[in-house]
């Protein structure tokens, strides 16, 4: 079967925090008895230090979510576009239910939510690789974390026949 004979199977993936939504959820970092807070955006670029202990309990709920208008427009356009594609929210959060409820409350009932429960960029890459192995061959990945995007872009080398676009989301 040639590349043109393959059935196109589209997968569109968005990160949640600081890509589609700003919330008041924070990461608590404790080191040597001192605790500081980081927003998801700050955490995305945080350099780990020896002895850091993290508390992600704020991410068991979606606290005061505010849609990031420019990216939510992109999300809506993909959601409403004709043709077959799976739209997925791929989050490092542990709990998927609060994210699913946010989308239901926003009028999007059939968005697939994957909560990895891990902030290691390789976990997002591994999940996307598992979808490639299920036959997805046209992939768009949008995330605010350069580390996550770099990890996913490495899949392009491993799967050169897959149409893959992994982009860092910048908004203002």
């Amino acid at each position: 079967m040639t590349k043109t004979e393959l059935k196109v199977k589209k997968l569109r993936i968005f990160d949640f925090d600081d890509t589609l939504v700003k919330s008041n959820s924070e990461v608590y970092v404790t080191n040597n008895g001192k605790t500081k807070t980081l927003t998801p955006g700050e955490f995305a670029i945080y350099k780990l230090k020896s002895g850091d202990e993290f508390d992600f309990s704020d991410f068991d709920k979606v606290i005061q979510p505010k849609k990031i208008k420019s990216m939510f427009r992109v999300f809506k356009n993909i959601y409403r576009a004709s043709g077959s594609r799976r739209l997925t929210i791929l989050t490092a959060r542990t709990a998927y239910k609060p994210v699913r409820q946010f989308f239901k409350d926003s009028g999007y009932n059939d968005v697939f939510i994957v909560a990895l429960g891990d902030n290691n960029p390789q976990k997002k890459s591994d999940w996307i690789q598992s979808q490639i192995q299920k036959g997805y061959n046209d992939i768009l990945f949008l995330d605010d974390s350069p580390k996550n995007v770099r990890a996913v872009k490495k899949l392009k080398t491993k799967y050169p026949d897959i149409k893959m676009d992994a982009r860092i989301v910048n908004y203002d």
Side-chain angles (χ1 to χ4, degrees):
M1 195 180 285
T2 67
K3 190 175 176 180
T4 54
E5 292 171 329
L6 284 175
K7 182 179 184 311
V8 175
K9 216 172 157 186
K10 294 181 180 182
L11 178 61
R12 302 298 180 249
I13 308 159
F14 288 83
D15 173 50
F16 184 67
D17 290 287
D18 285 359
T19 297
L20 285 173
V21 172
K22 280 262 194 209
S23 76
N24 286 340
S25 301
E26 294 182 312
V27 178
Y28 301 92
V29 184
T30 303
N31 194 319
N32 293 325
K34 294 181 182 165
T35 300
K36 65 179 174 180
T37 59
L38 300 172
T39 67
E42 291 167 338
F43 183 74
I45 58 172
Y46 180 75
K47 302 272 190 258
L48 300 175
K49 295 173 183 64
S50 178
D52 279 349
E53 293 178 24
F54 299 99
D55 174 356
F56 297 97
S57 59
D58 272 10
F59 294 90
D60 293 341
K61 50 200 171 293
V62 179
I63 301 171
Q64 299 173 327
K66 292 177 191 71
K67 294 176 187 171
I68 298 170
K69 288 183 174 99
S70 59
M71 281 313 299
F72 225 87
R73 249 190 318 277
V74 173
F75 171 84
K76 281 195 279 191
N77 289 340
I78 290 172
Y79 183 87
R80 293 182 179 145
S82 61
S84 176
R85 69 188 45 76
R86 189 169 87 192
L87 185 54
T88 301
I89 306 303
L90 183 60
T91 179
R93 287 173 175 251
T94 301
Y96 75 91
K97 286 181 180 177
V99 176
R100 173 171 284 148
Q101 191 60 52
F102 168 83
F103 282 98
K104 283 184 177 181
D105 292 347
S106 298
Y108 302 97
N109 295 318
D110 54 351
V111 176
F112 190 62
I113 311 293
V114 176
L116 294 172
D118 195 318
N119 66 332
N120 179 341
Q122 189 59 45
K123 297 297 182 183
K124 286 193 177 186
S125 180
D126 291 349
W127 185 86
I128 292 171
Q129 180 172 322
S130 77
Q131 300 309 294
I132 291 169
Q133 292 166 349
K134 290 178 181 177
Y136 287 95
N137 54 15
D138 183 339
I139 298 169
L140 172 63
F141 173 68
L142 301 168
D143 197 308
D144 66 296
S145 167
K147 292 182 269 189
N148 292 342
V149 172
R150 272 194 304 275
V152 170
K153 279 185 173 182
K154 288 179 183 173
L155 291 172
K156 188 69 182 148
T157 305
K158 193 171 184 178
Y159 299 97
D161 293 336
I162 299 295
K163 180 180 177 190
M164 179 165 321
D165 189 0
R167 295 187 210 164
I168 298 170
V169 172
N170 294 314
Y171 53 86
D172 285 318

